[in-house]
Amino acid sequence: MNIETDKDNSALKPGQYRLVNTKPLPVFSSGISKETRAFVLDRNGFTCQMCGAVAGEPHPSDPSRKTRLHLGHIIDLSHGGTDDAQNLRALCSVCNEGAQNITLPRPKATQLLTQIRRAAGDEQVEVLKWLVRKYPKQAQSLTENSAD
């Protein structure tokens, strides 16, 4: 529905409203196409880029909730960001709610390796499995080169 107030129409007094039409309006409009959304989610491996939660699996901070992924802007629209795929990342609903206008820097390889080395062996194997699924060609190439 489209309703005008005194701020939209100077003929109306404060507290007066005029119904323009009864056609429902979307809650919000998104400039992000379905193709861009699918590309970003696939590029990010359907995982939250802040906490690593995987879509559809129980959320790490609240196992009673399944992880739902949203697209978050790296540079928020209010700070001049765009809806281009380069400015989008997959975020779970928990991180996206807390990430409003906060942009964390991407971790460097040395930081990631430090965290992985600190993890238990079975956790390290899970990381390896995920990397092999995400980068099968590179994993195969590395395996073939190490066999030589």
Side-chain angles (χ1 to χ4, degrees):
M1 285 187 264
N2 191 357
I3 301 172
E4 288 183 342
T5 68
D6 62 302
K7 294 182 174 36
D8 305 311
N9 184 340
S10 61
L12 297 173
K13 295 178 182 172
Q16 285 186 322
Y17 303 94
R18 185 172 83 87
L19 180 62
V20 177
N21 65 48
T22 57
K23 183 179 178 184
L25 297 175
V27 176
F28 63 91
S29 61
S30 174
I32 303 169
S33 70
K34 290 180 182 177
E35 292 81 12
T36 300
R37 178 179 170 72
F39 171 77
V40 172
L41 291 173
D42 187 51
R43 179 191 66 197
N44 293 159
F46 294 91
T47 58
C48 175
Q49 297 302 293
M50 290 185 75
C51 70
V54 179
E57 292 184 359
H59 194 276
S61 67
D62 183 1
S64 67
R65 293 174 54 185
K66 284 191 174 183
T67 301
R68 294 189 59 198
L69 292 179
H70 301 248
L71 293 185
H73 292 89
I74 296 169
I75 300 172
D76 196 78
L77 293 175
S78 64
H79 294 140
T82 65
D83 287 336
D84 294 336
Q86 296 83 6
N87 191 41
L88 297 170
R89 62 184 171 178
L91 292 176
C92 70
S93 56
V94 173
C95 290
N96 198 28
E97 289 168 6
Q100 295 175 356
N101 297 332
I102 297 173
T103 302
L104 295 177
R106 287 180 169 261
K108 302 285 184 198
T110 53
Q111 294 169 315
L112 291 172
L113 289 172
T114 299
Q115 290 296 315
I116 292 170
R117 286 181 183 133
R118 292 179 56 213
D122 57 333
E123 299 294 331
Q124 292 178 356
V125 170
E126 287 301 316
V127 171
L128 176 62
K129 288 177 183 176
W130 181 80
L131 287 170
V132 168
R133 280 194 310 268
K134 182 162 177 73
Y135 302 104
K137 291 179 185 173
Q138 292 87 345
Q140 184 177 3
S141 175
L142 288 171
T143 304
E144 289 171 358
N145 289 340
S146 67
D148 293 338

